[in-house]
Amino acid sequence: MTSWLQKMFAVEKPVIGMCHLMALPSDPYYDSDAGLPAVVDDARANLHALQAGGVDGVMFSNEFSLPYLTKADCVTVAAMARIIAELYDDIRVPFGVNVLWDPYASLDLAVATGAQFVREIFTGVYASDFGLWDTNCGAIVRHQHAIGGKNVRLFFNILPEAAAYLANRDIVSVARSTVFNTGPDALCISGLTAGEETSTATLRLVKDALPEIPVVANTGVHYDNVTEQLNIADAAIIGTAFKRDGVFENSVDVDRVRALIDKVEELR
């Protein structure tokens, strides 16, 4: 049976490319002299490279808003909305958004821009590099419906980067109870940081336990491991491997995108 994931992206094993936004107003590394036009130009170049390389979807994220907030500034959401609005006519694939690390802000941005999906931390309590993440999934989902976002698909990051689940629970127990209690559209499994490989063993455990739920390899998928990762996962979200020389801080390299997508096509 065709899953919602295949219907949205029109392929099996979709690859979602990350369009990482440069630092934004209120971020420590924001270039106020160049201003938002420079951020828009950089995002447009990366978007075009991702789409020319053949990705199946795109996700816009304030990746360079380091260090991240667990409650985003209003100006962050406003700036991201402006950037996506300026790029809207250039977007040729399904797109999502992620305001790090704020699920309410991510949903607000999705509704404002027409994004089809969001990725965030919706459940659990974590000790992280950015402080204590204490979520309230019931309130978040009610907010989603209150703002008219009931059709926005939710990618639950249940093994987030730079964080540890505070309860003494294994990942399969977390995944099963998350699905039972909250109804995610997909589960994301991550490595330690952006660009760090997702454990194939963990992917297998979660997928075997919950075969009916799309499981996404969320970090560290690259040319040399994409076949192994997508033999287990239902989709991959890729950022760093698409950058020039595979370096997180660099811009998207269309040749690296095309090479990896060609390999995925062989797998399909």
Side-chain angles (χ1 to χ4, degrees):
M1 184 173 65
T2 303
S3 72
W4 71 262
L5 197 69
Q6 290 170 267
K7 289 178 181 177
M8 177 179 287
F9 296 102
V11 292
E12 294 185 10
K13 308 285 185 175
V15 172
I16 300 168
M18 292 301 303
C19 189
H20 292 159
L21 304 181
M22 293 167 55
L24 303 171
S26 85
D27 293 339
Y29 301 108
Y30 177 60
D31 185 348
S32 57
D33 293 330
L36 277 176
V39 182
V40 172
D41 289 345
D42 182 74
R44 181 176 284 111
N46 287 329
L47 172 65
H48 286 180
L50 289 167
Q51 292 182 147
V55 297
D56 307 300
V58 169
M59 182 153 53
F60 298 95
S61 173
N62 59 323
E63 207 76 17
F64 293 105
S65 290
L66 289 159
Y68 303 127
L69 297 169
T70 54
K71 180 173 175 50
D73 289 339
C74 291
V75 70
T76 301
V77 182
M80 292 180 73
R82 173 189 166 177
I83 293 162
I84 294 169
E86 293 205 31
L87 299 179
Y88 193 81
D89 289 341
D90 295 341
I91 301 172
R92 302 284 181 255
V93 293
F95 76 95
V97 296
N98 184 195
V99 183
L100 298 162
W101 286 100
D102 188 334
Y104 294 96
S106 294
L107 284 165
D108 291 343
L109 182 62
V111 170
T113 60
Q116 292 108 311
F117 59 94
V118 300
R119 176 191 63 182
E120 254 303 339
I121 313 300
F122 294 104
T123 56
V125 179
Y126 301 86
S128 81
D129 292 346
F130 311 109
L132 188 68
W133 289 348
D134 185 6
T135 61
N136 186 340
C137 190
I140 295 165
V141 172
R142 282 168 174 78
H143 179 72
Q144 175 192 13
H145 285 254
I147 63 174
K150 66 179 182 179
N151 294 324
V152 177
R153 295 288 186 172
L154 305 183
F155 286 56
F156 279 49
N157 193 349
I158 61 168
L159 192 63
E161 306 96 301
Y165 204 103
L166 284 184
N168 184 22
R169 304 173 65 204
D170 63 87
I171 189 61
V172 171
S173 297
V174 170
R176 283 179 170 157
S177 64
T178 297
V179 170
F180 181 84
N181 288 311
T182 64
D185 293 302
L187 299 175
C188 294
I189 309 298
S190 311
L192 178 63
T193 64
E196 290 290 324
E197 184 171 341
T198 301
S199 164
T200 53
T202 304
L203 281 172
R204 176 65 70 190
L205 285 170
V206 174
K207 189 60 192 175
D208 286 350
L210 295 159
E212 72 282 5
I213 299 294
V215 174
V216 181
N218 191 47
T219 66
V221 177
H222 52 75
Y223 184 85
D224 292 329
N225 71 4
V226 66
T227 299
E228 180 183 25
Q229 295 266 300
L230 283 182
N231 271 323
I232 304 169
D234 300 288
I237 297 173
I238 303 178
T240 301
F242 287 155
K243 305 288 189 77
R244 188 178 67 257
D245 299 325
V247 175
F248 172 73
E249 292 80 8
N250 289 344
S251 297
V252 174
D253 180 339
V254 65
D255 292 331
R256 290 180 66 94
V257 179
R258 190 175 291 118
L260 196 152
I261 295 298
D262 285 347
K263 197 166 188 179
V264 174
E265 290 289 0
E266 294 175 7
L267 174 64
R268 290 173 181 153

